[in-house]
Amino acid sequence: MAASARRQPGRARLLAMFLVGAGLLILGVAAFFMLPEPDAIASDELSALPLRVEYPAPQLELTDLEGNPVSLADYRGQVILVNNWATWCPPCKAEMPTLQAYYDDYSATGFTIIAIDAGDPVADVVAFVEDYSLTFPVWPDQTQKATVAFRNPGLPSSYVIDRDGVVRLAWTGAISRKTLDKFVTPLLEE
């Protein structure tokens, strides 16, 4: 009798695990059929979300495309979106028109984008800037100082520095306009 009583909880536990597993399988199948097809999702809805951070912006000095020395400190008092990218990076290419449009809309408010290329030949960076009609500052970074200074985990990576020189947002992945409006625009109003 005691052995029979011990088997019952084992069977009940097995039945419960089976039912939970079957329920999860059914939920997974239902979710699969309820998700929209990838083409049905608008590209402006796909975006990495920023992490709210708070640390001093790194001291970073490079040269611009004309060979002039430049520094993040030169932009103190502005809100800066530093975008680390590369000419060969598909999500970097995809977000550039969005970044340019946002820059066009907000550059008069003390906002700038500094796009720092991660090691491509300068001629390739210049061609990219021309192809995408970029008007914000673009800095080539042959030695990848920026990726080290910002501890980049991948490309594209972006960081928003407030007017006081504090990094407030950080994210890896392409940025949508919706994300810029939601997270960066409020910093412009501070």
Side-chain angles (χ1 to χ4, degrees), residues 7-185:
R7 277 189 230 154
Q8 293 301 331
R11 286 183 185 169
R13 188 173 310 152
L14 184 59
L15 179 61
M17 287 176 32
F18 173 77
L19 291 174
V20 167
L24 289 173
L25 180 62
I26 291 169
L27 284 174
V29 170
F32 174 79
F33 285 106
M34 293 175 66
L35 290 175
E37 293 182 36
D39 294 341
I41 300 172
S43 63
D44 66 342
E45 293 178 17
L46 299 175
S47 183
L49 295 177
L51 177 64
R52 294 185 192 277
V53 296
E54 189 169 333
Y55 60 88
Q59 298 297 316
L60 182 63
E61 297 175 358
L62 294 167
T63 57
D64 62 18
L65 290 173
E66 289 79 38
N68 301 313
V70 287
S71 170
L72 286 180
D74 297 341
Y75 293 85
R76 186 78 181 240
Q78 294 187 44
V79 175
I80 308 164
L81 187 150
V82 173
N83 179 257
N84 292 316
W85 64 283
T87 61
W88 50 264
C89 165
C92 301
K93 292 176 182 180
E95 74 179 352
M96 282 300 170
T98 300
L99 292 175
Q100 182 62 54
Y102 192 81
Y103 176 76
D104 291 343
D105 290 346
Y106 290 99
S107 62
T109 67
F111 170 76
T112 195
I113 293 173
I114 299 174
I116 303 175
D117 173 75
D120 290 312
V122 174
D124 293 352
V125 177
V126 169
F128 187 95
V129 168
E130 290 172 0
D131 289 347
Y132 284 80
S133 302
L134 302 180
T135 60
F136 46 78
V138 177
W139 301 351
D141 186 6
Q142 299 297 299
T143 59
Q144 299 194 14
K145 287 181 185 179
T147 57
V148 171
F150 282 101
R151 298 183 184 135
N152 276 15
L155 297 175
S157 290
S158 296
Y159 305 87
V160 177
I161 303 169
D162 70 14
R163 298 179 198 283
D164 296 322
V166 176
V167 179
R168 302 272 300 274
L169 299 170
W171 62 97
T172 299
I175 304 169
S176 72
R177 178 61 186 247
K178 191 183 254 183
T179 299
L180 290 168
D181 288 337
K182 181 176 180 178
F183 293 97
V184 179
T185 302

